[in-house]
Amino acid sequence: MQVENFTALAQQVQQYLPLLGLGLLVMIGSYYLSAPLSRWLIRPLKFFAHSQLIAVVGRRALRLLLILLGVYIFLRLAGLTEFAVAVISGTGMVGLILGFAFKDIAENFIASILLSVQRPFRLGDVIEVEGQTGVIKQVTSRATTIVDYDGNHIQIPNATIYKNIIRNFTANANMRGFFDVGIGYDANLKLAQDSALAIMRNHQAVLDDPEPSVLIETLGSSTINLRIYFWVDATRFSVPKVKSALMHLVVKAYLQQNISMPDDARELIFPQGIDVNLSHNEKSETPIAQTKPPRAERVDPDDQPAQDLDTETDEIRQQAAQARDPEQGNNIL
């Protein structure tokens, strides 16, 4: 009886041995051929999406599917059909469990894919997100690194960037700046506006189109407050530096043209009144005049040093290129 069982087992092994060998060859072949096949299959995607991250993710996903297909064929040829189905189902269940366990990581990874496809910014752009402003240094599958104008490296998760408002300052080269100046009610308003406009139109950093403008912003208690708008090419000039230079020139022109720039008037009200006592000199009945502290001398605008109007963005880009990468990983943009 035992001899007959052994003979039947040997016949079954002999029957399944060719299929088992074929399945083993298919599984090994799928493992070694998965890499070149995935690269070949993903090649047409480059015509539709120029994202390096999508190409990498797609290639790895196809390679994993090819390997799983080889394992499934091996199990089917070995007569383990139910086990093969269990393996495929278990793979999906494991992926679902891992997705919940690493929710934040998966969220940042998906956000990195969307950022690489939509491209709201490029490497070297100046952006503002979540109150942070700086130059884009690196974008990985987890976070985006920016270098602010103090030289600090700031890492922001990609999910945070994707879900918040992004201000890209370099997508449009033109940037508007403004400043306020108050003139007295006795001043020549038209002369003040024309003078400020002439200064901006003759300044090398101010663009003619869009044209500058001088508008009345508010009417204060003692001043007419003008708001002066100007546009500059932010890729060449720094808006704060140009603003400082224009303020210097406007103050200089207003002083030369005797256009008053008084302080805001301040009024103190005493509802219950106030007692006033006049002190007299023993030798004279004339009240002693109260002396006022001397006023600070007005600074001559000509004494101000000349300013460099170049933008600091190129300097920050150079610092970012020379700085150590705070996070390992390849750029996806």
Side-chain angles (χ1 to χ4, degrees):
M1 188 69 180
Q2 293 180 354
V3 176
E4 293 178 356
N5 291 336
F6 180 77
T7 303
L9 179 62
Q11 290 177 353
Q12 290 180 357
V13 170
Q14 185 178 6
Q15 180 181 358
Y16 280 103
L17 190 60
L19 294 176
L20 190 64
L22 179 61
L24 188 62
L25 288 176
V26 170
M27 184 175 65
I28 296 175
S30 66
Y31 176 78
Y32 286 102
L33 294 176
S34 60
L37 280 176
S38 61
R39 285 195 296 266
W40 181 76
L41 292 174
I42 206 68
R43 188 176 300 174
L45 186 62
K46 295 181 179 179
F47 296 100
F48 303 98
H50 301 284
S51 172
Q52 181 181 359
L53 180 62
I54 290 182
V56 173
V57 172
R59 186 169 64 248
R60 291 179 179 177
L62 284 176
R63 185 178 183 184
L64 180 60
L65 289 176
L66 291 173
I67 293 174
L68 288 176
L69 180 61
V71 174
Y72 178 77
I73 294 175
F74 167 74
L75 294 175
R76 287 294 300 268
L77 293 176
L80 302 173
T81 305
E82 295 181 357
F83 184 69
V85 174
V87 169
I88 299 300
S89 302
T91 303
M93 183 61 65
V94 169
L96 185 61
I97 295 174
L98 291 177
F100 280 106
F102 299 98
K103 176 179 176 296
D104 293 337
I105 297 177
E107 186 180 20
N108 288 323
F109 181 74
I110 294 174
S112 67
I113 295 178
L114 296 175
L115 289 174
S116 65
V117 173
Q118 299 178 359
R119 291 178 177 268
F121 46 77
R122 299 178 181 177
L123 295 179
D125 281 358
V126 180
I127 69 166
E128 178 186 354
V129 61
E130 282 288 282
Q132 304 294 338
T133 303
V135 176
I136 296 293
K137 172 180 173 57
Q138 189 179 37
V139 182
T140 64
S141 58
R142 189 193 72 85
T144 297
T145 302
I146 66 175
V147 181
D148 66 7
Y149 283 87
D150 293 329
N152 301 316
H153 285 67
I154 302 173
Q155 290 183 327
I156 306 175
N158 289 328
T160 301
I161 292 180
Y162 188 76
K163 293 187 293 185
N164 284 276
I165 297 175
I166 303 172
R167 295 182 64 188
N168 192 327
F169 295 102
T170 49
N172 179 18
N174 297 340
M175 186 177 298
R176 190 178 74 169
F178 68 89
F179 61 91
D180 296 333
V181 60
I183 63 173
Y185 280 94
D186 59 337
N188 189 330
L189 179 59
K190 187 176 185 306
L191 177 61
Q193 290 179 302
D194 293 342
S195 178
L197 276 176
I199 290 172
M200 290 187 292
R201 287 170 179 169
N202 294 327
H203 199 279
Q204 59 172 350
V206 178
L207 297 175
D208 295 330
D209 186 19
E211 62 180 2
S213 59
V214 181
L215 306 176
I216 298 177
E217 180 67 15
T218 57
L219 298 177
S221 56
S222 60
T223 58
I224 301 175
N225 299 316
L226 303 178
R227 176 157 292 184
I228 301 175
Y229 294 95
F230 60 94
W231 291 81
V232 300
D233 183 355
T235 60
R236 298 177 53 200
F237 301 105
S238 168
V239 175
K241 291 180 179 180
V242 175
K243 173 182 175 181
S244 176
L246 291 175
M247 293 174 68
H248 163 69
L249 294 174
V250 168
V251 170
K252 176 182 176 181
Y254 284 4
L255 291 178
Q256 291 176 349
Q257 297 168 357
N258 295 323
I259 297 177
S260 61
M261 292 176 288
D263 296 331
D264 290 336
R266 294 175 176 85
E267 182 180 1
L268 298 178
I269 299 176
F270 299 92
Q272 305 300 327
I274 185 172
D275 295 332
V276 178
N277 296 323
L278 298 178
S279 58
H280 295 75
N281 194 325
E282 295 180 356
K283 298 181 180 180
S284 174
E285 296 296 328
T286 305
I288 301 176
Q290 300 294 327
T291 60
K292 296 182 179 180
R295 294 174 60 90
E297 295 183 359
R298 188 185 297 270
V299 178
D300 187 357
D302 293 330
D303 295 336
Q304 299 295 323
Q307 294 183 354
D308 179 19
L309 303 179
D310 293 339
T311 179
E312 303 100 339
T313 304
D314 291 336
E315 298 177 3
I316 299 300
R317 291 193 181 109
Q318 293 177 3
Q319 293 183 24
Q322 297 172 0
R324 174 183 62 85
D325 290 337
E327 179 182 1
Q328 297 297 325
N330 296 325
N331 278 315
I332 62 174
L333 296 183

